[in-house]
Amino acid sequence: MDILSTRSVAEVLGVSEATVKRWADAGTLRCFRTPGGHRKFRLRDVKAFLADQQEGDGVPPEPVIAAPTGELSAEQREARALALAADVDGLVSLVANQRLKGMTLAHTFDRVIGPALHDIGAGWAAGRLSPAQEHIASNAVIDMLARVRPLVERTSRADRGRALCACLGDEYHDIPVRMVGLILSCEGYRTAMVGANVPAGDLALMIAGDPPAVLALSASACANAENLRGDLAVLASAATAAKTRIIVGGSGFQSLSSVPVPVKRYASLEELTGVAL
Ligand code: B12
């Protein structure tokens, strides 16, 4: 799966096969030859090539709103308790009540549900909560997110096109990207959840085959910055060729010193509100 043909590399990079061959023959892009003489490329070499080519934006985003800032508010405490009690109905009511008070979904996810989950993570890291409790809480939030879709209120009547939402390889924290999907729906995008742990090469081929308007990625952790940068470089290249916008967020992406130029980093969901990407 990690070995690509000249044609696949051309598709992923958004250039012609002749260009790929020229780069390979010049030694700029590493390749090897099959016994039949065909050029083959390792995904890691394509990533390294792209990482070398691309300049970063280097501008770190603002601090994440969801990060715990001390004592939890009453609503955050309530969300935390409901999640730990697997009270999905309660979580749905909480979000619905926030909407009745005029809060947007983005606001509630950024400022109530997010901080509650961060606090649960801190509890898990400190040994106060078991992994099972953390799992119960995150599953309750996932169920809630599925059920609050009717609360999506379009801020625009325009059809802004398709948005793919995903987490890259080895990233299983898909709650934020589910939230992003709902917020993009509010903004007039037709969202498709690709989900967690998606290989960058697969996404690049999806972009090349049927370009979405937006690719939204989230990374809560960053086990290997080099891999994450490489994956992003591959996707940035495919997206530039296909005119797809890439938006990213989460602590994993924030930990990178820079992201490739066409990629836009966000620190919160509220930043997406009312913005045509
Ligand atoms: C739930 C959870 C899990 C669940 C995930 C379930 C799921 N389906 O998502 C499970 C149990 C699977 C899990 C597993 C692990 N987890 Co975990 N997990 C969490 C927890 C508690 C909550 C994550 C979450 O949903 N947060 C809420 C979201 C909404 O907040 P957010 O990510 O900050 O996102 C906000 C903004 O950043 C922004 N945003 C985010 N992405 C995007 C994208 C776009 C486009 C935009 C516009 C905005 C945006 O909007 C969001 C809302 O404000 C966190 C604690 C934490 N601090 O987050 C730990 C945490 C992320 N996990 C952690 C760890 C260590 C792990 C494991 C390695 C544990 C293990 N030993 O197995 C594994 C790793 C699995 C993997 N390879 O991915 C660490 C990561 C430490 C680090 N920095 O590396 C954390 C921080 C816990 C801790 N305090 O140590 N985890």
Side-chain angles (χ1 to χ4, degrees), residues 64-68 106 109-111 113-115 117-125 131 134-135 138-139 142 170-180 215-223 247-251 253-254 264 266-269 271-272:
V64 192
I65 292 173
F109 295 161
D110 276 340
R111 295 172 191 268
I113 307 295
L117 281 166
H118 278 245
D119 194 68
I120 287 169
W124 166 80
E134 189 205 27
H135 282 234
S138 44
N139 282 320
I142 289 169
D170 289 334
E171 177 61 70
Y172 287 89
H173 298 95
D174 62 2
I175 292 175
V177 87
R178 288 172 190 269
M179 293 178 173
V180 170
L215 171 66
L217 301 170
S218 177
S220 297
C222 175
I247 60 171
V248 302
S251 305
F253 285 117
Q254 304 214 14
K264 181 117 178 60
Y266 289 86
S268 72
L269 303 169
E271 289 168 60
L272 287 181

Side-chain angles (χ1 to χ4, degrees), residues 247-266:
I247 60 171
V248 302
S251 305
F253 285 117
Q254 304 214 14
S255 70
L256 298 181
S257 55
S258 65
V259 292
V261 170
V263 176
K264 181 117 178 60
R265 263 194 294 204
Y266 289 86

Side-chain angles (χ1 to χ4, degrees), residues 81-94:
L82 291 167
L84 285 168
D87 188 344
V88 181
D89 293 342
L91 282 170
V92 172
S93 299
L94 186 152

